[in-house]
Amino acid sequence: MPGQAMAAPEPRGPWSDPTLPPDRRAGLLLRELTLDEKISLLGGDEVDGVLGGPDSHIGTGHGIERLGVPTVRYGDGPIGARQGEGTALPATISLAASFDTELAERYAAVVGNEIRCKGNDVLFGPTIDVLRTPLSGRGFEGFGEDPYLTSGLAVPWIVAARREGLIVCAKHLGAYVQEGAFGLAGSRLQYDAMVDERTLREIYLPPFEAAVREADVGSVMGAYNKLNGQYCCENQWLLNDLLKQEWGFPGYTLADYGAVHSTAASLNNGLDFEPWPALFLSPGSVSTAVHTGKVSTADIDDHVRRILRTMFAHGLFERTPQPPDDDLIDRPGHLAEATRIAEQGMTLLANDGMLPLDEATLAGGRIAVIGEAADRFVQGGGSSSMTPFSFVSAEQGLAERAGSAITVEYDKGRIPEKAAEAARGADVAVVVVADLQSEFTDKPDLDVDAGLYSFPNVEVGDPFVDQDAVIEAVLDANPNTVVVLHTGGPVLMPWRHRARAVLQAWYAGSGAGTAVARVLFGDVDPGGRLPVTFPEHEEDLPTAGDPQRYPGVGGKVHFDEGVFVGYRHFDQQDIEPAYPFGHGLSYTEFDYRDLQVEHRAVHVSVTNTGARPGSTAPQLYLGLPAPNETTPQPPKQLKGFAKLHLEPGETRRVTFPLTDRDLSYWDGVTGQWRIAPGTCEIMVGESSRDIRLTGRSS
């Protein structure tokens, strides 16, 4: 029962000595295990954990009482604990928009603490798959389209979650980039990602490599899909050759739920644990494979050693079991933290001077808040969805912030004509719209109404509300209109040049409404910068127009665009996006000067030249020389970023360190990282298309 005290584990043998190295302890314990006991550690139980009940875990790993091996309890997830109720953090894509490594630590500390208070030992998260197409149903779960940004934020995230005493499980390795094209085509359960090694090494694998080499992640989850002909959860090159041997990963691998296809192939090719449902790595299946000679006992020992070693390294043998207890959670503190994080992710896409709202000017006036999404808790679907302890809607947040001096009126925005009437005569109209991305299915297109489901238009009997039509109607009725987007990624905005301001608020979590209101009224500067390119047209995407690239043909998805993903593609093809990677406006202005290029560092001074405090995210891009005609380089690649909060007139000197790896490309001929001879272009600016300073380095 929650709150019930449980006894600390008793020492059972020499492996109980916490002064010994984890590898030594695992070896000592391994000798004492019977073959059946070893096999029992390879598969999970608690079949009903996926239902997310308050006292149920997402899965468990068997313990062995006679030797003091504790049960291991698993918890989702990357955006908050979905075991019962919890604090909903903004979607990971919102955190990515902050460009803030310190914020990534604070984010993970909240998630990790609640996962731990709910009695778990392993945290499924973060999701560090690089976004290939914004149609992807799980794009909101990750850090966007750039591997450097993803790596730079994932590492402090993992380190902070580990401080909570958890085994952190990074997911999903590898080239997991789609759910399926709104149906069976390109299903994540079946598609074979055909990716050349350079593209893997430069785009899709760096976040996982950083998680292993820099963050000491405890576990890595294999993806559903195939990679170059083999399922990821039985992929010899991916799990054994690369992850465990080349990168030196000492932890254990586990499968996504339902991603295992073969007992022998999985165990022989590097999978250590099947959490749920343990069908292929169940005791019966594994015992049969061993006794028929399909799996060796040496492989079984290696898998078990890795699991035990990770448990020892993270203190599970010394820990007093913690039953789920929500009373241990600092709910007000975590809500406040979630709100601050949401503010720093909110990205002001457009503003003609209308924002921030002036409460003195609006006193005695009226704000019309329009849209079903303004009165809903908006989040992504699937394993990241959760039930919040509490939440503040945009309508609530604006009403509370406006106070008694300003009238706030709300319309559901289901009928364009009624929305227009609500907006007409208001001093300001705020239209809040949302998409609904989800695991299990991709979006059919980039319209804001596209997704797994939308808002039912019960008033007129239509299946869905046409949110674009609502926005257009409001703009016709009131030019002083702000559009707030609660979306998991890019959407098309046919009305964007008419709106006076557009705020990308993402899926903003429990404190969404408070954060929206504080940003619109200028209590805080919008802190976000886009971690993903917003296209003007869907046909501008690198995967558009070629079914072999997406959603795939004959079960194969060809990554023919290579390293030209996201802004790299837009730059190479000279396509003007609606809003570029790295873009985001402030309520003040920043001056960049004094660029200094050294052998392994770039320095720049940034000054707040406006009259208000503000946030900016200086970004370093490199234009690397191409080694030959068959190895083209993107015009620019992100290789440094920082987050600054500056007072008016304040100047900060920023240093971007550079490593050999930052200057390298993957040479498929020699199978190693190499630096091509020639001149490197140095670019520093506020986005991938707003370069303020340039230089060169040889």
Side-chain angles (χ1 to χ4, degrees), residues 366-376 394-396 398 407-424 426 428-433 455 457 459 465-467 469-471 473-474:
R366 178 169 68 93
I367 298 176
V369 180
I370 298 165
E372 190 90 3
D375 194 36
R376 293 267 187 111
E395 187 273 331
Q396 289 175 306
L398 285 165
T407 299
V408 174
E409 295 181 349
Y410 172 65
D411 181 82
K412 293 182 179 180
R414 290 176 173 170
I415 303 173
E417 293 77 13
K418 289 185 64 176
E421 184 60 31
R424 192 170 290 114
V428 175
V430 179
V431 185
V432 185
V433 298
F455 301 111
N457 197 347
E459 291 188 17
V465 175
D466 186 340
Q467 295 180 103
V470 170
I471 294 171
V474 171

Side-chain angles (χ1 to χ4, degrees), residues 594-605:
D594 299 334
L595 177 69
Q596 180 184 359
V597 179
E598 297 179 348
H599 178 59
R600 285 294 183 268
V602 174
H603 311 272
V604 64
S605 294

Side-chain angles (χ1 to χ4, degrees), residues 79 91-96 127-129 138-144 150 531:
I79 294 171
T92 310
I93 194 72
S94 174
L95 173 62
T127 299
I128 56 177
D129 304 298
R138 298 183 84 169
F140 69 94
E141 278 191 44
F143 292 90
T150 299

Side-chain angles (χ1 to χ4, degrees), residues 185-186 190-192 194 226 547-548 551-558:
Q190 300 171 343
Y191 81 84
D192 191 351
M194 310 303 292
K226 294 179 182 178
Q548 293 199 75
V553 175
K556 296 183 183 298
V557 177
H558 294 268

Side-chain angles (χ1 to χ4, degrees), residues 604-666:
V604 64
S605 294
V606 182
T607 302
N608 180 350
T609 58
R612 300 172 57 96
S615 301
T616 188
Q619 301 153 40
L620 169 67
Y621 296 89
L622 300 184
L624 301 178
N628 51 60
E629 292 183 356
T630 61
T631 312
Q633 289 285 11
K636 64 176 74 73
Q637 303 177 55
L638 183 73
K639 294 298 180 181
F641 64 90
K643 187 64 173 288
L644 304 179
H645 305 277
L646 300 178
E647 296 295 320
E650 183 181 1
T651 297
R652 193 84 55 84
R653 189 72 171 164
V654 179
T655 296
F656 300 108
L658 291 173
T659 65
D660 285 350
R661 178 68 171 269
D662 295 326
L663 302 170
S664 300
Y665 72 98
W666 180 259

Side-chain angles (χ1 to χ4, degrees), residues 307-373:
I307 294 170
L308 295 175
R309 184 258 175 214
T310 306
M311 293 172 64
F312 281 122
H314 289 77
L316 267 63
F317 280 78
E318 286 70 55
R319 178 182 300 159
T320 301
Q322 168 63 56
D325 189 352
D326 285 358
D327 289 340
L328 298 174
I329 295 172
D330 178 9
R331 298 190 193 187
H334 287 185
L335 175 60
E337 191 75 292
T339 303
R340 286 191 291 268
I341 293 169
E343 293 167 359
Q344 289 304 306
M346 291 197 175
T347 309
L348 188 59
L349 299 179
N351 182 27
D352 70 354
M354 182 179 179
L355 298 179
L357 300 177
D358 187 339
E359 58 186 312
T361 301
L362 290 172
R366 178 169 68 93
I367 298 176
V369 180
I370 298 165
E372 190 90 3

Side-chain angles (χ1 to χ4, degrees), residues 57 73 83 114-121 322-325:
H57 308 276
R73 297 172 174 86
Q83 182 179 326
E114 295 200 9
I115 290 288
R116 187 73 193 97
C117 288
K118 290 176 180 290
N120 297 292
D121 305 295
Q322 168 63 56
D325 189 352

